[in-house]
Structures are given as structure tokens and as C-alpha cells.
Amino acid sequence: SGAVAERARSSVFGVYCIVVVSFAYPVVTHWAWSGTGFLRYSDGADRPQRSVVGPSYVDCAGSGVVHCTGGVGALLGAILVGPREGRFLYPQTFAAHNIPLIVLGTLVMWFSWFAVNSG
């Protein structure tokens, strides 16, 4: 997540990504997509799907689980890491952006979006 990427070293960010992808994401996707998780399950063969809190969770194209997991992970990571060093102490000398990396990230996201959504 970009919320953590600018605030931590690359090695720490790599460990953070591995933890989220290896542990947090599989658990949350199981809850929502497996048919046996607490957000979506059935009591019997002919019984409708439901969840612990009522109707079964329906995720259109998986976007709810993906974005909720990413958002919560970004919030927790930003809280744990704290503000960027120098951001609020010396705002006039803080280099906030790296234009080449912004353009590279935009192109990667743009091409990835087309690859996923092209049909």
C-alpha cells in the first residue's frame, strides 16, 4: 500500500507485503468467497446461503474483499509506522514527490487495470 511504502524502508515494506498476502488476505477471502466462511455459508444442501449477521455476503467481482483488506491493511500499517520523517517538522525542505516514480506507478496501474478489465 502506498500508505506504508513511503514511510518504511523497502525491506520492511517487502516483509509487510508478504505478511498481508500470505496471512491476512487468504483468511479474509475464505470468510467471504469459500462458501464455508462466516460471511457466506449454508446449513444444508437445499438451504440458501447466509452469513452470521443475516443474508449471505455477495461480492461483485471480488472488489469488496480486495479493497477492504487493502484499506484496513493500509490504515493499520500507517498507524504502526507513524508519520513520514521530516514531513511535519520541516515542511519547506521535505521532498514530497518523485515524479518519475509517480509516472511509472501510474503506467503500471493503468496497464494492469486494462489487463484485468479487458474481458
Side-chain angles (χ1 to χ4, degrees), residues 6 23 30 34 49-50 97 101 112 115:
E6 289 184 348
F23 300 105
H30 173 77
S34 72
Q49 295 277 324
R50 61 186 214 175
H97 302 290
L101 287 179
S112 300

Side-chain angles (χ1 to χ4, degrees), residues 2 8 10-11 16 18 34 38 41 43 46-48 51 54-55 60 70 95 103:
S10 296
S11 59
Y16 171 78
I18 289 170
S34 72
F38 78 94
Y41 68 91
D43 287 337
D46 58 345
R47 308 258 330 236
S51 75
C60 182
V103 172

Side-chain angles (χ1 to χ4, degrees), residues 1-18 77 80-85:
S1 161
V4 178
E6 289 184 348
R7 302 165 194 241
R9 293 185 175 165
S10 296
S11 59
V12 173
F13 182 64
V15 170
Y16 171 78
C17 290
I18 289 170
L80 289 172
V81 174
R84 292 176 280 182
E85 292 180 13

Side-chain angles (χ1 to χ4, degrees), residues 45-117:
D46 58 345
R47 308 258 330 236
Q49 295 277 324
R50 61 186 214 175
S51 75
V52 172
V53 293
S56 129
Y57 176 73
V58 178
D59 192 8
C60 182
S63 63
V65 169
V66 170
H67 289 95
C68 183
T69 304
V72 170
L75 177 64
L76 293 175
I79 290 170
L80 289 172
V81 174
R84 292 176 280 182
E85 292 180 13
R87 173 71 171 103
F88 298 107
L89 296 175
Y90 309 104
Q92 66 276 9
T93 61
F94 182 75
H97 302 290
N98 184 334
I99 300 299
L101 287 179
I102 291 172
V103 172
L104 178 64
T106 302
L107 289 174
V108 167
M109 290 294 291
W110 187 60
F111 284 117
S112 300
W113 185 85
F114 275 111
V116 168
N117 295 306

